[in-house]
Amino acid sequence: MRQRRVVLSERVAAALRDGEPVVALESTIITHGLPRPENIQAAVDFERTVAEHGAVPATVAVLDGVAHIGLEPDALERLAGSEGALKLSARDLPVAMAQGATGGTTVAATTLLASQAGIRVFATGGIGGVHRDAAATFDESADLGILGSCRITVVSGGVKSILDIGATLERLETLSVTVLVYGTDRFPAFWLTDSGHTVDFSVTTPNEIAEIMHAADALALPGGMLVANPLPEAAQLDPAVHDRLLAEALEAADSASVRGKDITPFLLDYIHEHTDRTSVAVNLEIVRGNCKLGAEIARAWSALRAARP
């Protein structure tokens, strides 16, 4: 008998079958982003936020080599308590499945799995992008290429501020990923409301985003779209503190010869530590806001599909 490689929870499968709104959620924030018991508390909070705003949450993860689209409470607890959980990007999925591994899925892996399951909205914190020294290292997140090839709408707080945001926006344009900013034309920078970059298109309602998704489907565009949802200014990390700590973190990384895939967690950990974890609280606020907006978009998309089958 062939082993099932991808499993949908009963609730998610029923919702997709019946045309109900569904929002995918990633799981590396559970396995690698927060300590216990904060990680399970946050995971439950994110799912609750999606549900309270009228959509079905579908947390994505790999357990014992099987990709799960939607986790039951016991599986979520198990993932949060796993000591050896891997951090799985899209390229890692075949190995994890073949070797029976357990791990949290990154933005790239979650985007791939959710879109293949037929989920059209995914809410996360911030996506990866082009690194600041990419001209020399060619270091670019897999998030971008996957988003350019999977038909899904990713709701995020923009691009992580430790990255080269201008170059990332250029790459998204090259990949034909539609970029929208909610409520403004100023692209956010994760912890910061305004990255200093503007975009061509802003949107003000979930219905407007659903209409754009519908138009993209009519064109059979192969990739997805990014909806950047800025934090309110009052909730952002202090920009002066952010800029000072980022400069210090980059210098520390250079002094320690931190390179490649280790650079992002190094910079994030440095900022978390030197803000006494204030940056973590901001991070959680970002994800909650994106869960809310993601659920609203999913509801608008579901209603539009019902009206125009």
Side-chain angles (χ1 to χ4, degrees), residues 124-253:
T124 185
I127 69 166
V130 178
H131 284 248
R132 291 172 180 252
D133 58 353
T137 65
F138 295 93
D139 194 351
E140 176 183 313
S141 172
D143 297 355
L144 303 184
I146 291 292
L147 185 53
S149 62
C150 294
R151 191 172 295 181
I152 195 166
T153 296
V154 178
V155 184
S156 83
V159 176
K160 294 183 178 73
S161 56
I162 59 176
L163 303 173
D164 187 331
I165 295 176
T168 300
L169 289 171
E170 290 290 346
R171 284 293 293 143
L172 287 167
E173 180 183 359
T174 299
L175 294 166
S176 297
V177 174
T178 300
V179 177
L180 310 171
V181 181
Y182 196 68
T184 176
D185 65 350
R186 304 289 289 182
F187 193 79
F190 193 53
W191 287 311
L192 303 180
T193 301
D194 187 349
S195 69
H197 295 273
T198 59
V199 297
D200 293 329
F201 306 111
S202 63
V203 288
T204 57
T205 68
N207 288 339
E208 189 177 355
I209 296 168
E211 288 284 0
I212 295 170
M213 292 167 62
H214 190 269
D217 280 4
L219 293 170
L221 288 178
M225 62 180 60
L226 175 66
V227 177
N229 183 28
L231 273 172
E233 272 192 40
Q236 71 177 340
L237 198 62
D238 183 305
V241 171
H242 169 275
D243 293 349
R244 175 176 59 80
L245 290 179
L246 179 55
E248 292 176 4
L250 289 167
E251 185 176 343

Side-chain angles (χ1 to χ4, degrees), residues 215-305:
D217 280 4
L219 293 170
L221 288 178
M225 62 180 60
L226 175 66
V227 177
N229 183 28
L231 273 172
E233 272 192 40
Q236 71 177 340
L237 198 62
D238 183 305
V241 171
H242 169 275
D243 293 349
R244 175 176 59 80
L245 290 179
L246 179 55
E248 292 176 4
L250 289 167
E251 185 176 343
D254 186 61
S255 297
S257 298
V258 179
R259 300 286 185 272
K261 66 179 182 180
D262 296 325
I263 187 70
T264 295
F266 179 92
L267 297 175
L268 293 176
D269 287 346
Y270 187 98
I271 292 173
H272 290 334
E273 179 183 349
H274 288 80
T275 58
D276 291 326
R277 296 181 63 78
T278 299
S279 57
V280 176
V282 177
N283 189 353
L284 296 176
E285 187 64 26
I286 291 168
V287 181
R288 277 191 290 267
N290 294 338
C291 287
K292 175 180 179 295
L293 179 57
E296 293 169 347
I297 295 169
R299 285 171 50 206
W301 171 249
S302 180
L304 183 62
R305 288 296 303 274

